[in-house]
Amino acid sequence: MPLAYLNGQYVDRATAAVSVDDRGFLFGDGVYEVTRARGGRLFEGERHAARLRRSMADLGLALPQGVTVESLNDVAVKLLAENGLAGEALVYFQVTRGVAPRTHQFPAAGTPATVYVSVGAFTPPDSYRTRGVTCVTYPDIRWLRCDLKVVNLLPNVLAKQEAVTKGAYEAIFVRDGVVTEGASTNVFAVVDGEVRTHPKSNLILPGITRDVLVELARAEGIAVREEPMRLEDLQRAPELFLTSTMNDVMPIVSLDGRPVGDGRPGRVTNRLAEIFAAHLESVCSMRAVPA
Ligand code: PDD
């Protein structure tokens, strides 16, 4: 039976339940993180923890007494071990504003947050990476705090469904002609050997994969420009790719039905994918056994 963590208890995931009065259920009033794990270790656990802390702080959301974000990383490592996940895995963390009578404003002080952590085996989409993926554009109908990782994901759900309906892998949001990010990914272009992506702002999620990749690229002497790109820039770019926890670096070979470059994963993109894979392996080896 897969073991999960809910409100301080280790529980059978199949029967774990939250109240119908949970504010996550009623209002989408909560935040989450998805972290990669390998060999029983979290990949960039500290950065994910920092992002979770920030999402919570900006929404006035506090963990229950005695629970810290670091302690949730320890919970995740324990869940990986208990569930025998020594290979590739994903960890899901969610915190909502707790269970309370339905009023829009925050519940009474002292209402404990609902805290959930689960783990599962993960198969990286390596076969997609070899061929590259297709994307479609979609209007960015989201709010103006896309930098917070909130569970209220309806625009992302609609965008991804549009992609799936059109046989595409990912939807790319466009706001006022500017490409922001994907439904669950960050978006990059390569132009004249330079890597480009949207700057960190309220309009995108500051992806952990994005941040790590930007640092790795610069360390390799590959220039990265964090500047908004218009859809036309993307349409002309010879290489495009996505980044996320579940994709690492994923080449895009078609946008809205038109080939990107020669319709194959680009040279710089492939190099960045290699650099990222090597980094992941070096910090989170498959062969490592959890302590
Ligand atoms: N999504 N942008 C959005 C809107 C996202 O939802 C995500 C991640 C990213 C990439 O962030 P990171 O590199 O930290 O995974 C960018 C997660 C994986 C999800 O919702 O499942």
Side-chain angles (χ1 to χ4, degrees):
M1 280 296 173
L3 200 66
Y5 169 97
L6 183 62
N7 297 330
Q9 309 283 324
Y10 288 92
V11 294
D12 174 4
R13 179 171 168 178
T15 52
V18 292
S19 165
V20 291
D21 289 320
D22 193 276
R23 290 181 62 93
F25 179 59
L26 294 175
F27 293 108
D29 186 357
V31 299
Y32 76 109
E33 277 297 323
V34 182
T35 303
R36 186 80 168 270
R38 203 184 248 193
R41 292 182 185 168
L42 303 185
F43 175 60
E44 298 291 355
E46 268 317 303
R47 293 195 207 223
H48 283 276
R51 189 170 66 184
L52 181 60
R53 256 185 236 110
R54 179 173 178 272
S55 294
M56 290 178 57
D58 278 25
L59 296 172
L61 191 48
L63 286 168
Q65 204 73 38
V67 182
T68 61
V69 170
E70 301 81 75
S71 74
L72 295 182
N73 273 355
D74 295 340
V75 165
V77 170
K78 180 174 160 75
L79 285 177
L80 290 164
E82 295 282 328
N83 286 287
L85 293 169
E88 297 276 6
L90 287 177
V91 184
Y92 181 79
F93 301 87
Q94 182 170 322
V95 181
T96 79
R97 210 181 301 274
V99 176
R102 186 181 182 279
T103 57
H104 283 65
Q105 72 271 24
F106 291 2
T111 303
T114 300
V115 184
Y116 172 61
V117 185
S118 67
V119 295
F122 173 60
T123 306
D126 292 333
S127 56
Y128 283 94
R129 201 181 338 278
T130 313
R131 294 194 303 268
V133 298
T134 61
C135 291
V136 293
T137 53
Y138 191 84
D140 195 342
I141 55 174
R142 299 175 301 163
W143 69 334
L144 295 174
R145 290 305 307 272
C146 298
D147 54 318
L148 302 178
K149 201 158 172 60
V150 295
V151 293
N152 213 315
L153 287 168
L154 197 45
N156 310 61
V157 166
L158 296 175
K160 189 78 87 177
Q161 184 54 39
E162 170 89 349
V164 169
T165 301
K166 290 183 166 168
Y169 185 82
E170 174 65 311
I172 293 177
F173 285 127
V174 180
R175 191 192 285 268
D176 300 328
V178 169
V179 173
T180 49
E181 63 182 330
S184 61
T185 54
N186 292 108
V187 175
F188 290 73
V190 182
V191 181
D192 299 329
E194 186 184 62
V195 174
R196 300 198 187 159
T197 195
H198 197 286
K200 287 206 247 187
S201 76
N202 62 315
L203 299 181
I204 67 160
L205 185 81
I208 306 301
T209 322
R210 171 200 185 282
D211 288 358
V212 170
L213 186 74
V214 166
E215 289 169 20
L216 291 172
R218 286 183 174 146
E220 281 285 313
I222 300 171
V224 181
R225 195 193 304 187
E226 297 173 74
E227 221 175 71
M229 285 176 289
R230 299 196 59 82
L231 177 56
E232 306 83 80
D233 301 328
L234 227 66
Q235 288 164 338
R236 278 196 295 265
E239 294 187 36
L240 299 177
F241 64 90
L242 306 169
T243 63
S244 79
T245 294
M246 294 164 77
N247 286 285
D248 299 345
V249 174
M250 179 61 78
I252 303 172
V253 292
S254 148
L255 180 65
D256 289 328
R258 277 179 284 189
V260 175
D262 65 2
R264 285 178 297 183
R267 188 182 56 81
V268 177
T269 303
N270 281 342
R271 175 80 191 115
L272 290 169
E274 269 171 33
I275 293 169
F276 191 86
H279 174 72
L280 181 56
E281 178 61 19
S282 74
V283 297
C284 226
S285 170
M286 274 295 254
R287 286 173 297 279
V289 176

